[in-house]
């Protein structure tokens, strides 16, 4: 089985953190509630305050992108380390028995 997972990650064909949304009902409920509450709150603001709040929310979303990217990078690196360790452990045990 030939896969192109690494190439797809590099070229942007695969972007795991944006490709799949959580299936959890609670996620969607929280997302819908927060959107509704934000819209309701913004309707009570002056146009200037509404624009300012929208700018703040957008900046927070931009920062979240960096957090998600870092979490993915660290998680991926940990997965590779665990995989390498498992192979090294198995090889060390095999060498132990070969002696």
């Amino acid at each position: 089985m030939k896969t192109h997972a690494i190439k797809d990650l590099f070229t942007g064909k695969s972007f795991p953190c944006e490709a799949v949304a959580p299936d959890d009902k609670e996620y969607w409920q929280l997302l819908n509630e927060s959107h509704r509450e934000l819209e309701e709150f913004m309707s009570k603001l002056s146009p200037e305050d509404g624009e300012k709040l929208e700018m703040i929310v957008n900046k927070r979303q931009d920062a979240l992108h960096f957090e998600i990217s870092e979490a993915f990078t660290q998680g991926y690196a940990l997965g590779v380390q665990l995989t390498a360790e498992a192979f090294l452990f198995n090889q060390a045990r095999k060498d132990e028995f070969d002696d």
Side-chain angles (χ1 to χ4, degrees):
M1 175 170 108
K2 186 174 180 181
T3 66
H4 301 281
I6 294 172
K7 183 178 179 183
D8 288 349
L9 280 171
F10 178 77
T11 60
K13 287 182 183 175
S14 176
F15 197 55
C17 65
E18 288 185 359
V20 179
D23 287 333
D24 195 314
K25 276 186 356 184
E26 186 177 359
Y27 167 80
W28 291 103
Q29 183 179 349
L30 288 170
L31 193 64
N32 287 330
E33 286 176 11
S34 66
H35 179 73
R36 181 180 41 78
E37 290 170 3
L38 181 61
E39 291 293 320
E40 183 180 312
F41 182 74
M42 286 184 73
S43 72
K44 297 175 184 178
L45 300 176
S46 69
E48 296 82 18
D49 288 342
E51 288 176 17
K52 179 70 175 178
L53 178 60
E54 188 173 341
M55 184 185 70
I56 293 168
V57 168
N58 287 340
K59 284 183 180 181
R60 180 63 190 115
Q61 288 175 334
D62 290 344
L64 183 61
H65 173 75
F66 288 99
E67 294 170 11
I68 291 170
S69 176
E70 185 63 23
F72 172 79
T73 302
Q74 289 182 23
Y76 186 85
L78 178 59
V80 169
Q81 287 175 325
L82 291 170
T83 302
E85 242 180 73
F87 283 113
L88 292 173
F89 177 76
N90 287 335
Q91 185 60 45
R93 295 204 59 194
K94 182 180 177 213
D95 293 344
E96 207 176 281
F97 289 110
D98 288 342
D99 289 341

